[in-house]
Amino acid sequence: MTTRSLREISTNNVRTFKRHYVSEISGSLGDLGTFLPIAIALAVNGTVSLTSTLVFSGVFNVLTGIFFGIPLPVQPMKAIAAVAIARSFSNGTIAAAGIFVGACVLVFSVTGLLHWFAHVIPIPVIKGIQVGAGLQLVISASSTMLVPLGWASPSWADNRIWALAAFVALIVTNIYRRVPYALTLLGVGLVFAIIRTALVGHMPGFELWHPFTVVPTPKEWRVGAVDAGIGQLPLTTLNSIVAVVHLAHDLLPDVRSPSIAHIGLSVAGMNLLGCWFGAMPVCHGSGGLAAQYRFGARSGASIIFLGVLKLVIGFLFGESLVDLLKRFPNAFLGVMVIAAGLELVGVGESLNTSGARDLGQAGSGLTHTEQHLGPMLTDEERKRRWTVMMVTVGLLIGFKNDAVGFIAGMLCHWAYELPGWWEKVRSQREEGRLRLD
């Protein structure tokens, strides 16, 4: 990245924050619905250090905003987190999983495998992964955060009534987008959490960060890499690198999108550094980008603000925040996650228009209306692209596994391409350009 590029990114960050600081701040909080529940669950189990997670993710937020200039999130590696929570991993085991994934992504990035991988994946499969990830967020938030709520339980500050109110407010802000929805919801939620925490006498206090290192044992390396790291690799490669680059192009077409290799190196660097100090394994994800965009973020200034906020809180309050954050209303977090999921689902709408990167390139030279309608596609081609996307979505959701959805989508795509390949081979054979003996 050149000095000129950094200067342009910095200028855009400052200009955007000055003009739309309320939207940028609100948007920076959009991904907390994913970040907070996982970070708290891991911290309560003693699997990660909440302080180290806040400090290192804050540093990564700031660097991401400076170097990429878009509201690119720093969010938990969900596959690793799910296994770690279910099996109560030790610090060393989850660190080993994150370092393993970081090392693999580093190799993929420097060898060009990531770029090749992104080049050969068809757009319908990529959009299927994005839509599937969005639906997973909606389903997960509904089942784990909102369904367990009662009309008046588990608390006066966390119940279905507040969830309904938050959802109605979300619908209203779909019309009035300038309303800082995430900022307002976070403020109200923090007030509720502080009151509930004060009633039980566990208010957070000043607790300066004391760095420590984590060195996994041979057993922790084996368990972390095999039981959690391998399962995270497809999710990181597909959703946190390939899909996020395409989504950045879809959501912010006027801003230079980061390259596949740069995103890969960023993911690798974050985990090869932070995990040694007890921080949660993290990545960049399309769901988080959609969330922060949905709530108003349009530049790197938003996540720089979030990073500074995390650093201040992490350095000064540390582990004493666990009890407070545990009492943040799930009613609010759940609705925020649903909003992020719906924003991500919406990218599937552009599959057969110029909003899809492959069609946008193919349609150069056409009028805006012609590009939007996608005149280069026949009805049969549109149906095939839609089918490939939905096969990817369906299997991803059904098996709760990005790799399964990806493989299913690719098989469907290849099945449609097979007659064309066979016809090409046959014509070359008839022309004498291909010998099979």
Side-chain angles (χ1 to χ4, degrees):
M1 183 170 289
T2 64
T3 303
R4 181 180 178 182
S5 297
L6 289 174
R7 209 164 35 237
E8 291 175 353
I9 291 172
S10 177
T11 301
N12 183 63
N13 285 343
V14 173
R15 181 174 60 246
T16 305
F17 193 80
K18 282 183 176 179
R19 294 178 178 176
H20 310 289
Y21 63 91
V22 175
S23 295
E24 290 292 296
I25 293 174
S26 178
S28 73
L29 309 174
D31 192 39
L32 292 183
T34 301
F35 183 90
L36 286 180
I38 294 177
I40 294 169
L42 291 171
V44 169
N45 288 345
T47 302
V48 301
S49 164
L50 181 62
T51 309
S52 295
T53 295
L54 288 172
V55 169
F56 278 97
S57 66
V59 170
F60 300 148
N61 275 132
V62 172
L63 293 177
T64 299
I66 291 173
F67 284 100
F68 294 131
I70 61 175
L72 196 62
V74 174
Q75 58 182 196
M77 286 190 172
K78 297 181 183 64
I80 289 178
V83 177
I85 293 170
R87 297 177 53 178
S88 298
F89 273 3
S90 64
N91 284 8
T93 306
I94 196 171
I99 294 167
F100 170 79
V101 173
C104 290
V105 172
L106 177 62
V107 172
F108 295 163
S109 301
V110 298
T111 59
L113 283 174
L114 274 180
H115 183 77
W116 173 83
F117 194 59
H119 181 71
V120 300
I121 303 175
I123 293 297
V125 174
I126 291 175
K127 287 193 175 290
I129 293 168
Q130 293 172 332
V131 173
L135 289 175
Q136 277 191 320
L137 287 176
V138 174
I139 294 170
S140 176
S142 301
S143 61
T144 62
M145 296 182 183
L146 300 182
V147 169
L149 299 177
W151 288 107
S153 62
S155 165
W156 60 269
D158 190 14
N159 51 54
R160 289 182 185 177
I161 295 175
W162 284 115
L164 182 61
F167 187 73
V168 171
L170 176 66
I171 295 175
V172 172
T173 56
N174 273 329
I175 303 172
Y176 303 100
R177 288 270 178 158
R178 292 190 175 184
V179 177
Y181 178 82
L183 184 60
T184 303
L185 209 61
L186 182 70
V188 175
L190 280 177
V191 170
F192 287 179
I194 290 171
I195 294 174
R196 294 175 66 192
T197 305
L199 292 176
V200 297
H202 290 154
M203 288 297 291
F206 287 105
E207 187 176 317
L208 295 178
W209 179 48
H210 300 288
F212 64 94
T213 57
V214 176
V215 180
T217 65
K219 180 181 178 182
E220 288 173 335
W221 279 114
R222 178 181 58 80
V223 174
V226 175
D227 293 2
I230 292 176
Q232 178 68 49
L233 271 176
L235 180 61
T236 295
T237 305
L238 297 171
N239 186 49
S240 302
I241 300 176
V242 177
V244 81
V245 170
H246 284 266
L247 182 63
H249 178 270
D250 290 341
L251 296 180
L252 301 163
D254 299 326
V255 180
R256 180 184 298 176
S257 299
S259 70
I260 293 287
H262 285 159
I263 294 293
L265 291 173
S266 176
V267 171
M270 290 190 298
N271 292 285
L272 291 176
L273 176 61
C275 291
W276 292 105
F277 295 90
M280 176 176 61
V282 292
C283 61
H284 304 301
S286 54
L289 175 57
Q292 291 173 169
Y293 180 89
R294 164 61 183 82
F295 293 119
R298 296 294 184 273
S299 76
S302 59
I303 52 171
I304 292 175
F305 171 85
L306 177 61
V308 172
L309 186 64
K310 285 181 179 179
L311 282 169
V312 172
I313 294 174
F315 271 116
L316 297 181
F317 295 99
E319 305 297 330
S320 68
L321 286 171
V322 173
D323 284 334
L324 173 65
L325 295 178
K326 279 170 59 179
R327 291 177 174 83
F328 192 93
N330 278 335
F332 293 167
L333 288 176
V335 175
M336 289 177 67
V337 175
I338 287 175
L342 294 177
E343 187 72 31
L344 192 51
V345 168
V347 304
E349 182 270 338
S350 64
L351 173 68
N352 290 326
T353 71
S354 61
R357 180 174 292 191
D358 55 344
L359 300 186
Q361 293 169 347
S364 59
L366 299 174
T367 66
H368 173 75
T369 302
E370 288 173 332
Q371 287 190 21
H372 178 73
L373 294 176
M376 70 292 298
L377 294 178
T378 65
D379 289 341
E380 181 64 25
E381 288 170 334
R382 294 180 192 222
K383 182 178 179 181
R384 288 182 177 183
R385 288 168 64 88
W386 179 259
T387 301
V388 171
M389 184 180 79
M390 294 311 298
V391 166
T392 305
V393 171
L395 273 294
L396 188 155
I397 294 295
F399 285 87
K400 299 181 181 179
N401 189 308
D402 284 43
V404 173
F406 167 72
I407 293 171
M410 290 301 297
L411 289 174
C412 184
H413 170 75
W414 288 331
Y416 281 131
E417 294 292 318
L418 190 59
W421 292 339
W422 174 249
E423 183 63 28
K424 183 177 180 180
V425 170
R426 191 171 64 84
S427 63
Q428 288 180 345
R429 186 182 180 186
E430 290 175 351
E431 294 172 5
R433 289 184 292 158
L434 180 67
R435 295 179 61 87
L436 299 179
D437 52 359

